[in-house]
Each structure stands twice: as C-alpha cells, then as structure tokens.
Amino acid sequence: MTRAVAWAVRAGLVLAGLTIAWAVIVTPLEPRDQAMLALGGIVVFLVLNHFASRRVTMILATLSCLVSLRYLHWRIVDTLEPESFWQGFFMIGLVLAEGYAVLALLLGYFQTLWPLERRPAPMPADPDTWPTVDVFIPTYNEDLEVVRPTVLAAMAMDWPADKLKVWILDDGRRQAFRDFAEECGAGYMIRPDNKGAKAGNLNHAMEHTDGEFIAIFDCDHVPTRAFLQMTMGWMLRDRKLGMLQTPHHFYSLDPFERNLSNGRDVPNEGLMFYGLVQPGNDLWNATFFCGSCAVLRREAILEAGGVPTQTVTEDCHASLKMQRLGWNTAYLRVPLAAGLATERLMIHIGQRMRWARGMLQIMRVDNPLLGPGLSLPQRLCYFSAMFHFLFAVPRLVFLTAPLAFLLLGYSVIAASPLAIIAFAGPHIFHAVATGSRVAGGVRHSFWSEIYETVLALWLVPVTIATLLDPKKGKFNVTEKGGLLPEGYFDWRAVWPSLVLTGLLTLGVMAGISGVLAHPWGSLEGQAYLLNGIWATLCLVPALASVAAGRERRQVRARARVAAALPAMVVLPGGRRIDARTLDISLGGAGLVLAETLALEPDAEVVLELPMGREFLAIPATFLRIERGEAQLVFRPANVEEEATIVRAVFGRADAWLSWDRHRRDRPLRSLLEVVTTVGAVFTGRSQISFAWWRARRERRDALRRPVAPVSAERRTEVLAPRGGASGGAALLALLLLSAPAMAQRQGRQ
C-alpha cells in the first residue's frame, strides 16, 4: 500500500468516525428511549472495564466524551426556555458551567490517557566531563531552621565538588543567613531591592553566576544526593532540552490530609498533577516548570529573557517562553526532593489563590492558544492548565443551582425529571467511572469536590478581578514551618463554606417540604424531589469543606518520616546493639532494638546508619522506651553533624520512592469515606476510625518483627554509596529493576 493510499484510508476512517460520533451526539430521542440508550452505555462500560488494556481505556474515554457531548447538546437545544430574565440568568449560567466542565473533561482526557513513563538517562562514565551546575535556593522571610536542611543537602549531592556551587539567594538580607553560609561553605547572594520577587531574585543570581546548568529548589525542598545524577543525563542527551522537572513531594501532611483524611489511604491533592498530568504533558513535550526541584539550561532561560516577572506564576510562564523559542522540556516521575506542605488551611488557600491569579494572568497576557512557536498539543496542554483555574465560578454555580428552584422558585432546566435523569445520569456516571479508571491511582473520586469547594468561594473574586485586570496581584511567599500547641476551628478559613452550608440546608428543608406538599407522582413533587436530592449531594462537599477547618494540633517541630533502616546503637560504654528504625526526623528517631536496654533518660549514645560502604554516625540522647520503641533525640554539636543528620533523613536515594503507592480508587467506597469523614469530624470521633486502628496494627507488627544484624543488611547494599557516580547509578539500577512492576501498574491504570 502506497503512502498516499494509506493516508486516504486513515482519513476515510477518521471521517467515518466523526460522522458516527456526530450522529450519536445530535440524534434526538424521547426520554424513555434515551434511558434505554443510557443503560446500554453503562452495560458497555461495565463489560469493557474488566479489561486492563490501555486501548480499552481510550475506548471508554471516547465513550465518556460522546455521552457528555450528547448531554451538553441536549441541554443547549432542548432545555433553555426561560420565561423571565432571572430564570434565563440561572438557566444560561448553569449551561455555561456545564460547558466548562465538559471542555475540562475533554482536555483532561487528552492530557492523561497516555502518560510518558520517562526513565532516567545514565551519565557519562567520566565525571571530568560532567558540566558545571549552580544551585539556587531563594529565600525571603522563611526561618533559618527551614532553610538549613535544604542547603546542607544540596551541598552533599553526588557531583564533583569543583563543578557544583550552592547559592543562598537571600531577599531578606539577614545576617544569620550570611553567617550560616560562611559556616557551611555555601555561596551567599543579596541584591539591592526586591523587584520581581522570586523571579527577580533568580534573574539577579543568573547575572552573577556562570554554571552551564541551574538547579532550583524552594528553600524547604530538600534534595536527595542522587538528584543531579538522575536528572542531568537527559540534559546531556538532548541538547535542545531547556528544563527538566521532577515531582514536588511533601513529607509532611497538608491541611486536608491532617484535618480530614486522618490516616486514610487517600492520595494528596498534588499527586494528580505530579503523578499523572505532568507525565501526560511530557508525552506532548509540554512539561511545565514548577519553580522548584528542576534543572534549567542556562542558555535556554537566558534566551527566553530570564524568569518572567509579569505574572505571579513565573515558573510556568518561564517554560512557556522557552518552548515558544523551540526548547524542549521534560518530566522525570521520580521524587528526588521533599518539602514541607502548607500547614494551615488558610495558608493553603492563600497559596492556591496566588496560583490561580498567576495562571489566569498568563492566559490573559501570553495565551498559549495564540502566538508563535507551539505545536497544537503544547497549546492544549498549557491552555488546560490555565483553563483549570477558572473552576471556581462553575463550581459555585453547580453548588447553588438547585437553590434557584428550592428557594426562589425558578426552574433551571426546562425538562421533565425523567429526561433529566436519562441524559444527566449517564454523563455523570461515565465521567466519574472513566475518571476513576484513568486516574484512580493518584486521585480518589469525590475528594476533588472537597478541595474545589474549599477553594472556590475564595477564588471567585480573584478569578473575576484577574480576568478584568491581569496586572493586579503580587507574589506572596507561602509560610512553612511552625507549631500549633492546641487544635482550633479556623472560622476565618471556612466562613464562606458555612454560609453555603446554611443555604443548602435551607434548600434541602424546602425540598422535603415541597415533596410533602404535592401529590406523589406530580411534576411539582418530582421537581422538588430531584432538586432536593441535588442539594443534598451538594451539601456533602460543603460540610466537608467546613470540617476541613478543624485544625489539629501540631506539637512536633520536625515531621517524622517512616523509614525501616538497619541501624546500630553505640552505648556509652562502647557496646553496639543492632536496631532498625521505625521513623526518623531531623530531631530524632524511633527504633526497634535487638535486645532490651536499661538506660537512664538523657544517656548519650550514637546512632550508626549504614549507607552503602560507610556508616553515618549521629550523636543522640536516649529519651525513653515506650511500648517496645526506643526513642532518641539527635544532638548535633556542629554543622558537619547536622549535615550528617540531613543526609540520613533526606539524602537517601530511595527515600521517597513509595510516594505514589496508594490503593486504587473505588468510587462508591470513596463516596462512603467522604460521608463518614464528615460525620466523624463533626462528632469528634475522627480518631476512632478503621485507618487509625490499621496504623496502630502496622506499627505493632513492625515492633514485633525481629531485628536483622547490620552485617547481613550490608551484604545486600544497593543504595547511596559515597562519592562519584555511585548514588545516582544505584538508584538508576533500582528503578530499572522496578520498571516491569511499574509498567504493570500503569497498564492497570
């Protein structure tokens, strides 16, 4: 078959497929016939969903798109019959919100159906040929205790010392930071003003450094030793690669994890983006720069004019500008650094408000759909990211739409209840079920509704103001670190949700009253019943968004990291006892000991952790033994010992490889968990949950497992040997060994 014939055949198949799709979308049916078609589509999904093939996933996504587009066509053609101005206002507002949701669904499928599982590229064997790297750690008003681990870990990265320079970029111009830089040997840089905020800080540093590549870390994002070796291979292989991004992983709990999920195995809010969307973008050469945990080619960012200062999301804007000039970007789905999540709900909301403002600013001043240099897939990926942050207005419309009928008497859909169920039911079913199949490993159903409900009421004015005037707004630093001695309810963060909850409660009561007041089976009674059920479903995320404001106390200055590491405890007399860590932090460790000890509190010991061919020796103080767990407090005497602790906690090459290991989503189970979580938080019984008992059982089992001698562990050494290319090469070997399992997991998704 010639190329022309093959092209003609493909074009014919595409045309035939589009014709069939058009017919499916626009063919009118009576409500009963539509209900039969809907049931047939659900049966098709249930049958095909038993097959794990990626091609089947694409078929189901196509089916979901057709069902949703058919629903939207029906809504526009058959259900817009306003009888007054205000009814038209509510009707058109709802259908516009639904149009946004359907377009967001289509863009989401485009981005996530075929994520690129990029593997690390090996470095050249001779370190003398490796390039020079400047590491930028920008800081403004953060506490020095937050910044110190990042600087020490960056300086300990496996890279030739003469080719690596770590810089503290201090826009706060603080003497304590200068003294710390001198003490640890890092570079210290300030500038005469703070113009351009973080972007201006980075641009100033570029003018005064000359490394071939630039690695950027937010001041709380602590890199592993293997970071550069795992990322630089691609930069050397592809000379047109301007930026390589890695995930933003957080070792502390965000407000939703701490206040709501309470130990349940629920993926955090950011895992959807870093676990699925960014790999999907990578397939289309459209990876976004996220401001930290990334490597940039100096030539590329300088050609783009430096980091842009016109928007408050300078990171995404920077990658967009580089790609307009023909530079490639890439994403490595391996967490090679970890940071602190936002600790308070109000701080979390403020961070998201900045993100929304910045992405909408880019959409206004440098819209990816317009202008030169981008392919169509790149335009769609960038636009999808910006379009997502318009969600606040549609989300508010969906949450309040049933109130138009229940409280004001305006019908928002001019159709019978049977027709609404027959058309809307399959649209909702396929969107939820197919979304669960595509993203069930990184996002559980219905939890995103909680995230968006919390944020939507705050983001509506930001969205409108930014669309009207994109120059408004300024860069705000997200607060990190801090303690909370006593829990409290943050009314300031959730008062909009409280207002919404009150209105929805009135709506539900009006629905019940309307059902009781009208004959059973009448159209009025059915309308009250349908809108009452709708309001009840909206009440669940509204209540959950209120529950998220219950801030739990935070009494640990250092977040614990679960880690089962072989160890030895050196007693005051010099005797060594085998042990295994349960968890470890910058402040101390929990251990299982091979034998029972009788030590006085505050006894000085040394914790030895084997790292490949060497031991890390950490001075510590014995605190107590509680339920079989020995607890130590680290006591570093100088910056060298502090750097050793940082390396033990954060520098291990395999420290965060379990970041995405979550149970698969099951929509009905997720819905039940959301409902029970809301009830548990409001009744004060959130600690008495299956997840809490499971965590206790797992810790008990860990305490009961025998402690293996360190010598046996060292014979199986794989990770984090000292110096040269070893650390990155070891992690690369581990990832390659795990590739079949990862591929199998991706196949299930």
Side-chain angles (χ1 to χ4, degrees):
M1 182 182 296
T2 64
R3 180 176 299 179
V5 174
W7 184 90
V9 171
R10 287 196 295 268
L13 291 174
V14 170
L15 182 60
L18 291 175
T19 302
I20 295 172
W22 179 256
V24 171
I25 292 169
V26 304
T27 300
L29 291 175
E30 292 298 319
R32 292 185 182 277
D33 296 330
Q34 170 62 28
M36 296 303 296
L37 179 64
L39 289 174
I42 292 173
V43 170
V44 169
F45 176 89
L46 295 176
V47 172
L48 292 181
N49 195 43
H50 287 286
F51 300 94
S53 166
R54 185 78 62 90
R55 295 183 184 276
V56 171
T57 301
M58 297 185 70
I59 293 172
L60 293 177
T62 302
L63 177 62
S64 173
C65 293
L66 292 176
V67 170
S68 294
L69 289 171
R70 177 171 175 80
Y71 168 73
L72 187 62
H73 175 268
W74 171 75
R75 287 282 286 113
I76 295 172
V77 173
D78 293 345
T79 67
L80 297 180
E81 299 177 1
E83 297 178 354
S84 66
F85 170 81
W86 285 111
Q87 186 177 31
F89 175 81
F90 292 127
M91 278 187 169
I92 295 173
L94 179 58
V95 83
L96 288 175
E98 290 175 316
Y100 166 88
V102 171
L103 181 53
L105 181 73
L106 302 184
L107 290 171
Y109 285 150
F110 175 79
Q111 281 184 288
T112 59
L113 277 180
W114 207 283
L116 179 63
E117 288 296 320
R118 185 187 295 269
R119 313 304 302 168
M123 293 291 296
D126 184 5
D128 291 336
T129 64
W130 296 1
T132 55
V133 180
D134 286 312
V135 179
F136 291 167
I137 303 174
T139 178
Y140 173 54
N141 61 359
E142 299 86 356
D143 192 88
L144 180 58
E145 293 304 309
V146 173
V147 182
R148 291 173 72 99
T150 304
V151 176
L152 296 175
M155 296 185 66
M157 287 190 292
D158 279 330
W159 202 257
D162 60 335
K163 296 176 179 288
L164 178 67
K165 183 63 176 178
V166 177
W167 295 92
I168 302 175
L169 312 181
D170 183 18
D171 257 6
R173 293 176 281 279
R174 292 156 292 183
Q175 185 61 41
F177 280 68
R178 182 187 295 274
D179 295 341
F180 169 65
E182 293 178 359
E183 182 182 14
C184 68
Y188 180 80
M189 193 179 301
I190 61 173
R191 54 186 179 133
D193 55 52
N194 289 45
K195 290 182 180 179
K198 179 182 176 181
N201 198 1
L202 295 172
N203 290 334
H204 175 266
M206 290 180 204
E207 295 174 359
H208 295 83
T209 55
D210 58 5
E212 299 170 65
F213 294 90
I214 299 168
I216 299 177
F217 298 98
D218 282 345
C219 65
D220 63 300
H221 283 172
V222 187
T224 65
R225 295 189 70 204
F227 182 89
L228 288 177
Q229 290 191 37
M230 296 295 291
T231 55
M232 290 297 297
W234 279 108
M235 304 299 289
L236 299 180
R237 175 181 291 189
D238 181 0
R239 298 296 175 179
K240 290 298 293 179
L241 186 59
M243 186 277 302
L244 186 139
Q245 179 70 54
T246 66
H248 286 192
H249 173 63
F250 301 100
Y251 60 90
S252 63
L253 299 179
D254 68 29
F256 294 104
E257 291 176 295
R258 187 177 60 254
N259 300 345
L260 279 184
S261 61
N262 187 43
R264 283 191 171 94
D265 188 12
V266 178
N268 64 51
E269 185 190 6
L271 189 56
M272 175 71 179
F273 179 73
Y274 289 107
L276 186 60
V277 174
Q278 280 283 56
N281 291 337
D282 196 17
L283 177 72
W284 304 111
N285 186 23
T287 299
F288 312 149
F289 174 39
C290 300
S292 179
C293 309
V295 178
L296 283 74
R297 190 181 300 269
R298 181 182 292 271
E299 178 187 357
I301 190 64
L302 291 181
E303 185 180 343
V307 181
T309 58
Q310 303 98 313
T311 62
V312 296
T313 47
E314 74 295 327
D315 39 21
C316 180
H317 201 183
S319 57
L320 176 61
K321 284 183 171 293
M322 285 191 287
Q323 298 212 272
R324 285 196 186 278
L325 296 172
W327 291 97
N328 301 326
T329 62
Y331 180 69
L332 186 63
R333 193 184 183 277
V334 180
L336 297 170
L340 290 168
T342 50
E343 279 121 353
R344 306 286 179 270
L345 183 60
M346 197 66 228
I347 298 173
H348 187 89
I349 292 171
Q351 182 189 65
R352 277 14 182 211
M353 291 172 68
R354 175 173 66 84
W355 290 3
R357 178 182 289 113
M359 297 302 278
L360 296 178
Q361 284 176 329
I362 299 174
M363 190 168 71
R364 280 292 316 275
V365 304
D366 194 8
N367 195 305
L369 295 180
L370 309 173
L374 300 180
S375 66
L376 178 59
Q378 287 175 322
R379 295 178 191 275
L380 292 177
C381 288
Y382 275 99
F383 177 74
S384 177
M386 298 160 197
F387 186 70
H388 163 76
F389 280 99
L390 291 171
F391 75 85
V393 175
R395 174 63 61 186
L396 182 60
V397 171
F398 290 136
L399 289 169
T400 57
L403 301 181
F405 177 80
L406 295 171
L407 299 183
L408 302 177
Y410 294 114
S411 176
V412 294
I413 303 177
S416 68
L418 175 61
I420 294 173
I421 294 172
F423 280 91
H427 159 62
I428 295 171
F429 172 86
H430 285 279
V432 172
T434 306
S436 177
R437 178 184 173 99
V438 173
V442 296
R443 172 63 56 86
H444 285 182
S445 302
F446 306 109
W447 285 91
S448 58
E449 277 68 25
I450 299 176
Y451 306 148
E452 291 189 1
T453 301
V454 170
L455 299 174
L457 300 170
W458 288 95
L459 292 184
V460 166
V462 172
T463 300
I464 296 173
T466 306
L467 290 175
L468 295 176
D469 185 0
K471 295 181 181 180
K472 284 188 175 181
K474 62 179 182 178
F475 186 94
N476 296 312
V477 177
T478 303
E479 296 179 31
K480 298 290 181 71
L483 300 178
L484 186 62
E486 295 295 335
Y488 69 101
F489 198 90
D490 192 349
W491 298 102
R492 185 168 66 103
V494 300
W495 73 262
S497 297
L498 281 168
V499 174
L500 176 63
T501 299
L503 292 174
L504 287 170
T505 301
L506 291 176
V508 172
M509 295 171 62
I512 296 172
S513 176
V515 169
L516 296 176
H518 292 86
W520 182 255
S522 66
L523 288 178
E524 293 83 358
Q526 292 176 7
Y528 273 104
L529 177 62
L530 189 61
N531 282 278
I533 293 173
W534 186 355
T536 302
L537 293 175
C538 292
L539 188 59
V540 173
L543 284 169
S545 67
V546 174
R550 184 183 176 184
E551 297 285 3
R552 304 188 185 281
R553 66 178 190 149
Q554 175 81 10
V555 296
R556 294 188 183 278
R558 308 287 193 175
R560 287 186 175 188
V561 177
L565 305 174
M568 296 188 73
V569 177
V570 184
L571 302 181
R575 188 164 68 95
R576 284 174 163 79
I577 295 178
D578 288 313
R580 182 183 67 250
T581 64
L582 291 169
D583 52 52
I584 190 169
S585 73
L586 294 174
L591 305 171
V592 181
L593 301 177
E595 56 184 272
T596 304
L597 283 181
L599 283 177
E600 293 294 327
D602 296 329
E604 294 184 357
V605 298
V606 175
L607 177 65
E608 292 186 345
L609 297 172
M611 294 288 176
R613 291 181 293 271
E614 63 179 317
F615 274 90
L616 300 182
I618 303 174
T621 298
F622 176 77
L623 186 60
R624 62 179 174 267
I625 295 181
E626 184 176 327
R627 299 190 185 93
E629 175 186 346
Q631 298 181 1
L632 305 182
V633 178
F634 296 150
R635 304 293 190 193
N638 50 53
V639 72
E640 288 79 13
E641 292 180 353
E642 183 182 355
T644 300
I645 296 171
V646 170
R647 182 179 166 192
V649 178
F650 298 108
R652 294 173 288 111
D654 64 337
W656 317 115
L657 290 185
S658 62
W659 72 303
D660 61 345
R661 293 176 188 170
H662 294 280
R663 58 182 177 168
R664 290 287 303 178
D665 176 42
R666 290 169 54 190
L668 292 179
R669 180 184 63 193
S670 293
L671 178 60
L672 179 62
E673 286 184 343
V674 168
V675 173
T676 56
T677 293
V678 173
V681 171
F682 281 111
T683 58
R685 297 178 179 273
S686 54
Q687 292 297 326
I688 309 302
S689 65
F690 174 76
W692 184 74
W693 287 109
R694 181 179 60 193
R696 284 197 62 184
R697 186 178 66 249
E698 290 175 352
R699 195 165 189 86
R700 180 197 64 201
D701 293 343
L703 286 166
R704 290 177 176 177
R705 286 198 301 271
V707 175
V710 170
S711 57
E713 296 285 351
R714 294 190 67 188
R715 286 197 294 269
T716 60
E717 65 179 72
V718 177
L719 300 173
R722 178 174 57 183
S726 303
L731 181 54
L732 176 58
L734 179 67
L735 291 171
L736 292 176
L737 287 172
S738 65
M742 295 182 67
Q744 184 180 7
R745 185 169 71 247
Q746 285 295 319
R748 290 197 298 269
Q749 293 178 4

